[in-house]
Amino acid sequence: VSAQSVGLLLAAGVGGFVQGRYTVEGRRQDIRFKLDESQLRSAADLQNIYVRNLVGNLIPLGELVEVREGSAVQSISRINRQRAIGVFGNLGPGQSQGEVLREIQDYLNSSLPSGYSYGLEGSSAGFSESMGGPTLALLIGLMTAYLLLAVQFNSFVQPISVLMALPFSLSGAFLALWIWGVSLNMFSFIGLVVLMGIAKKNSILLVEFTNQMRERGGKVHEALLSACPLRLRPILMTSVATLAEALPLMLGDGFGSETRLPMGLSIFGGTLLSTLLTLYVTPSWYLILSRLEKKRPVK
């Protein structure tokens, strides 16, 4: 008699074994086979159950196993072939998932005995992975933007003055999230990625038009004084349009508003602050970094 036959007999006789399903009033019900309750009144009754051996003969279970009473878990769960116990919970009002996970990890690192380990599963693991992925995507996007701007301006120095506007856009986004009491989550991170493209647009307008003024024979300082006032109106128009587009994301209270609000706050706060500071920061950095450039030919 194999151990598998004994295990299947006990599992089917005590816990039940699903043999099929039938439909009643539009709902499917299981057809479960198991021993009658009268046949299992005590642990000694298990010895009277018969199991077939390899040649088909019925053998009493009492001649094959020794019955002992004790306590055990109802089910054994494994992750990566290791015994595991799952702990589940929900966030309390006003709690951040990132802060809660950090506190739990700090507690486990200091309290778990030797030989025990822990790992994140489910939404917790998804949260950790989702916060690492956008960060890498943001860094790759910045590197790609620098290379494209270097090709566009034919310079490795001028893209730096364009990208200097990005820290101010991040500061505005974080400030808006802090004022509204919204945490930095996946949706606000998406707003930050979108914000990167919007913030660079204002600086590109200033730098490109300043280069055009310099190609006409003007000096750097004179080109900035001519280009910045002329590009002020387009910058303000596009920024106001962006702010207006972000308002529905912030003010909407319908279904899914909790996912749209962080995105709208990131775009609105970052665009507002970056627009105000870019008008001063980008020309200043352009003037400073122009000393590192090669002399441009005058047309």
Side-chain angles (χ1 to χ4, degrees):
V1 179
S2 63
Q4 182 181 6
S5 299
V6 176
L8 290 176
L9 175 67
L10 293 176
V14 179
F17 184 76
V18 178
Q19 285 290 103
R21 293 181 178 180
Y22 67 97
T23 304
V24 177
E25 298 180 354
R27 305 186 66 178
R28 303 187 67 182
Q29 306 290 340
D30 292 338
I31 301 175
R32 186 175 294 273
F33 164 80
K34 67 184 298 291
L35 294 176
D36 190 78
E37 297 294 338
S38 60
Q39 297 178 276
L40 291 175
R41 296 184 181 274
S42 63
D45 294 338
L46 293 174
Q47 301 180 6
N48 300 324
I49 301 177
Y50 288 85
V51 59
R52 292 188 182 275
N53 60 10
L54 298 179
V55 296
N57 297 326
L58 293 175
I59 308 297
L61 196 60
E63 298 183 6
L64 303 174
V65 301
E66 180 183 355
V67 180
R68 296 179 182 178
E69 294 188 24
S71 58
V73 295
Q74 294 183 351
S75 61
I76 298 177
S77 60
R78 299 180 186 273
I79 298 178
N80 296 330
R81 297 184 178 182
Q82 294 184 352
R83 292 279 296 270
I85 297 176
V87 180
F88 305 91
N90 295 322
L91 293 176
Q95 298 295 326
S96 171
Q97 185 174 3
E99 295 179 358
V100 172
L101 288 178
R102 281 193 296 270
E103 293 182 3
I104 293 176
Q105 290 174 344
D106 293 340
Y107 174 78
L108 293 176
N109 290 331
S110 60
S111 302
L112 281 180
S114 60
Y116 287 80
S117 62
Y118 70 91
L120 300 178
E121 293 290 334
S123 61
S124 300
F127 175 81
S128 300
E129 295 175 359
S130 64
M131 294 307 293
T135 303
L136 180 60
L138 185 61
L139 295 177
I140 295 176
L142 292 177
M143 294 176 59
T144 305
Y146 175 81
L147 295 176
L148 292 176
L149 291 173
V151 174
Q152 178 182 351
F153 296 136
N154 194 22
S155 171
F156 289 105
V157 177
Q158 291 184 359
I160 299 177
S161 60
V162 174
L163 298 179
M164 287 306 298
L166 301 185
F168 300 102
S169 63
L170 294 178
S171 302
F174 293 151
L175 182 61
L177 293 173
W178 177 74
I179 293 176
W180 265 265
V182 178
S183 63
L184 182 62
N185 50 39
M186 184 63 183
F187 302 101
S188 56
F189 220 110
I190 294 175
L192 294 179
V193 175
V194 176
L195 182 62
M196 296 295 98
I198 299 174
K200 293 197 301 290
K201 170 260 307 175
N202 296 335
S203 300
I204 292 174
L205 289 175
L206 289 176
V207 173
E208 177 65 24
F209 204 71
T210 303
N211 289 339
Q212 295 178 11
M213 292 294 182
R214 292 177 63 185
E215 291 175 357
R216 297 174 184 176
K219 297 182 180 180
V220 177
H221 189 268
E222 297 175 353
L224 287 172
L225 293 178
S226 302
C228 291
L230 292 176
R231 294 292 91 185
L232 178 60
R233 179 182 295 180
I235 289 175
L236 294 180
M237 290 175 61
T238 54
S239 298
V240 170
T242 303
L243 295 175
E245 293 171 356
L247 285 178
L249 299 176
M250 299 172 51
L251 303 179
D253 56 354
F255 180 76
S257 60
E258 65 278 0
T259 62
R260 295 189 295 268
L261 178 61
M263 190 184 308
L265 289 174
S266 300
I267 297 175
F268 187 90
T271 302
L272 181 61
L273 186 60
S274 65
T275 300
L276 297 177
L277 296 181
T278 298
L279 300 175
Y280 301 96
V281 174
T282 300
S284 301
W285 275 97
Y286 186 95
L287 182 61
I288 295 173
L289 296 175
S290 62
R291 304 169 184 173
L292 304 178
E293 299 178 8
K294 295 181 180 180
K295 293 184 178 181
R296 292 173 172 264
V298 179
K299 297 182 180 180

